[in-house]
Amino acid sequence: MTQNNIRLVTWNINSVRLRAPLIEKLANEHAPDIICLQETKCPDDLFPFDTFHALGYEHIHIHGMKSYNGQAILSKIPFEATEIHHRVGREDCRHIMVKLDINGGTDLHNLYIPAGGDEPDIETNDKFKHKLDFVEEMTLWFKTHYKDTDNVIAVGDFNIAPQEHDVWSHKQLLKIVSHTPAETDRLNDMQKSLTWVDTTRHFVPSDEKIYSWWSYRNRDWKKSNRGRRLDHIWVTQPLKPHLAAHNILSEARDWEKPSDHVPVILDFKF
DNA sequence: ATGGTCGGTACCCGA
């Protein structure tokens, strides 16, 4: 199957069952072809397949668990194959992949990198070590499984805001988990693993602030605007000429019972 | 400098 235009979305949904109506709203208003979700917090046998089948997402690949993490890829485009990956020795539902018949064959990876806890210290905080180990393993894994000439997409909640203007205050967040040099250095190394294109920054200049997440712990997220860009869509070089448009749907932060993350949308033209 | 709010689940954990 050859597609002319493909609209891809990544969204940390923070409970797929609670927010199925918001995914329906996204589908109705923006008509994405593929939706990659993180933090579904839903065991596979309780996943609301019917809701998404009814919206035209006939092809669904999931890997969920009780209470934590969990991933889904909802698609109008069939999968050639699906995979579930276990990273850094854990089976905690943070990495799935589908193969698509796009541009001669494209692998789409959905990632949920660990948040890393509060203390940016691997000696005292196992969650932070887990996060750094996860990124290092992904870097090596991409290097060893692909060539720069392969069509690969990596999306998800990376839980790292790599650039100065990916956070509301670079200076104030340098010691805050998500923006520490230990994390951003490693994410930059991961970006070099396949000469990945950070597609948001392909469309938005590096000196312009842009976010995809605003904490629940702010009285007024829009007024304080203390956001971070934690959600990413990366593509390898062969897909770069096909990048057509980009949108971070910040309005979704004001939808009824919102996630703290908003959808990141990328359009391809083939 | 501190505490602030969510969701899932089970009276707390992770974000």
Side-chain angles (χ1 to χ4, degrees):
Chain A
M1 189 163 103
T2 306
Q3 298 279 325
N4 287 327
N5 301 290
I6 292 172
R7 174 164 288 178
L8 172 69
V9 173
T10 181
W11 196 7
N12 179 320
I13 195 65
N14 187 15
S15 173
V16 69
R17 284 173 288 178
L18 190 71
R19 285 189 240 285
L22 296 193
I23 298 165
E24 185 165 359
K25 185 174 168 69
L26 172 75
N28 289 335
E29 294 180 6
H30 298 276
D33 298 290
I34 305 173
I35 304 173
C36 296
L37 301 173
Q38 304 85 37
E39 279 207 89
T40 53
K41 296 184 173 177
C42 181
D44 291 350
D45 57 337
L46 298 175
F47 193 85
F49 287 100
D50 294 347
T51 305
F52 303 126
H53 286 155
L55 293 168
Y57 300 95
E58 290 178 49
H59 313 281
I60 298 179
H61 179 43
I62 58 169
H63 187 219
M65 60 190 280
K66 191 175 168 180
S67 300
Y68 305 111
N69 314 329
Q71 295 203 298
I73 301 176
L74 318 177
S75 178
K76 297 180 177 177
I77 301 167
F79 306 140
E80 304 289 298
T82 64
E83 292 181 4
I84 287 168
H85 290 263
H86 300 132
R87 300 260 71 95
V88 284
R90 305 192 192 197
E91 297 188 13
D92 56 357
C93 308
R94 294 178 182 274
H95 181 189
I96 59 176
M97 186 271 264
V98 297
K99 287 182 177 286
L100 301 162
D101 185 12
I102 292 171
N103 214 35
T106 296
D107 286 3
L108 169 61
H109 292 269
N110 187 9
L111 300 175
Y112 177 47
I113 293 175
D118 290 331
E119 284 289 320
D121 181 347
I122 58 167
E123 303 299 328
T124 57
N125 177 6
D126 286 343
K127 289 179 199 158
F128 193 66
K129 183 174 187 326
H130 180 214
K131 181 178 200 172
L132 299 187
D133 289 348
F134 190 106
V135 177
E136 287 177 12
E137 185 173 299
M138 282 312 313
T139 302
L140 188 61
W141 192 88
F142 283 132
K143 263 185 204 168
T144 52
H145 284 77
Y146 294 111
K147 303 187 295 290
D148 286 327
T149 50
D150 292 331
N151 298 306
V152 193
I153 305 171
V155 312
D157 178 2
F158 292 4
N159 269 311
I160 299 173
Q163 297 187 13
E164 179 179 346
H165 295 295
D166 293 337
V167 294
W168 63 276
S169 168
H170 174 62
K171 197 179 166 190
Q172 284 179 259
L173 272 87
L174 274 170
K175 290 180 178 172
I176 302 296
V177 172
S178 72
H179 195 61
T180 67
E183 295 162 87
T184 56
D185 287 352
R186 280 169 180 79
L187 196 68
N188 288 335
D189 286 344
M190 183 166 126
Q191 199 178 338
K192 288 176 201 144
S193 68
L194 286 173
T195 57
W196 292 98
V197 178
D198 172 349
T199 62
T200 296
R201 285 303 179 192
H202 176 81
F203 290 98
V204 182
S206 286
D207 61 357
E208 186 176 317
K209 290 197 175 292
I210 187 160
Y211 317 129
S212 64
W213 173 89
W214 292 262
S215 172
Y216 284 125
R217 297 176 189 178
N218 274 314
R219 197 173 290 261
D220 184 334
W221 73 275
K222 199 184 280 180
K223 192 177 171 193
S224 57
N225 197 24
R226 295 185 166 189
R228 305 178 201 169
R229 187 171 72 96
L230 304 178
D231 302 275
H232 302 268
I233 301 180
W234 288 4
V235 303
T236 52
Q237 295 292 324
L239 292 165
K240 190 174 175 182
H242 302 286
L243 299 173
H246 164 273
N247 186 17
I248 295 186
L249 210 63
S250 49
E251 69 201 57
R253 189 62 180 75
D254 267 339
W255 287 356
E256 181 92 21
K257 297 270 277 175
S259 170
D260 45 356
H261 297 253
V262 299
V264 178
I265 305 176
L266 180 67
D267 289 351
F268 295 93
K269 269 198 165 66
F270 292 100

